[in-house]
Amino acid sequence: MHTALLGAFWVWVIATGIYFLPTIIAASRSHRSGWAIFAVNFFLGWTAIGWFVALIWSLADADNRHIIIQNSNATYEGTRREPIFDSNKGMSRDDMDLLAYKTAEKLRQMELMDKLKHMDAPCSSSTMLPTVKAVIKLCPKCNAEVGTGDRFCGSCGARL
């Protein structure tokens, strides 16, 4: 009698494992819709269609990217580095791709500026970056900043 009871127990364990296979797969892959897959598996898994929907859903969306951008300047002693952006808070893939591209572009610019800042070789006039001088035009009556092509001051209305 104990053998029959033990055999029934193992059949129940294996059947439960097969029933919750989509949930197990979703959990092992850290699927972003893991709880929804569990709900479909739990409530509709007894139908063959519900079980297969949960299984296909758990196998789909293999591209689970998680982007966290941290403020690298906030590394003072005793302070915690909080993420500025966390992609798990809800964002479309296109937005994530755009953010990843912009972040990589910004990092490239920062690396270039760092290289330019710490160059050991002396710069000759031909290798230096061009400097741009800004021309600021002021109103003679109120000293407000005006555009270079303006004929009248936007603040006081005086003729320039």
Side-chain angles (χ1 to χ4, degrees):
M1 179 168 153
H2 291 293
T3 310
L5 188 61
L6 187 62
F9 172 74
W10 283 112
V11 167
W12 179 81
V13 167
I14 292 171
T16 304
I18 292 171
Y19 183 81
F20 284 108
L21 184 65
T23 302
I24 294 168
I25 291 171
S28 68
R29 298 178 74 202
S30 299
H31 200 286
R32 72 176 66 197
S33 302
W35 286 106
I37 293 170
F38 168 74
V40 169
N41 191 192
F42 184 78
F43 293 112
L44 299 175
W46 60 273
T47 66
I49 295 172
W51 190 86
F52 278 109
V53 165
L55 179 67
I56 291 170
W57 192 5
S58 68
L59 293 172
D61 193 24
D63 190 17
N64 266 340
R65 290 179 275 176
H66 184 89
I67 300 171
I68 295 178
I69 299 174
Q70 289 185 335
N71 186 357
S72 61
N73 295 331
T75 57
Y76 304 111
E77 196 169 323
T79 59
R80 212 171 78 195
R81 289 172 54 162
E82 293 292 330
I84 295 171
F85 170 79
D86 189 347
S87 66
N88 275 352
K89 301 291 188 224
M91 187 175 216
S92 70
R93 280 186 192 214
D94 294 335
D95 291 339
M96 286 174 57
D97 288 339
L98 181 64
L99 179 69
Y101 173 77
K102 285 183 177 180
T103 304
E105 189 65 31
K106 185 69 175 173
L107 288 173
R108 275 190 231 111
Q109 289 175 358
M110 290 169 50
E111 287 173 5
L112 179 64
M113 292 304 293
D114 194 41
K115 285 179 184 177
L116 287 174
K117 194 185 305 180
H118 299 295
M119 286 180 87
D120 291 333
C123 294
S124 65
S125 61
S126 62
T127 60
M128 289 184 67
L129 297 173
T131 57
V132 177
K133 294 183 181 179
V135 176
I136 299 173
K137 188 175 176 184
L138 299 176
C139 173
K141 187 173 182 183
C142 67
N143 284 333
E145 189 175 328
V146 293
T148 55
D150 292 347
R151 293 185 180 190
F152 296 97
C153 176
S155 297
C156 67
R159 190 176 180 149
L160 300 175

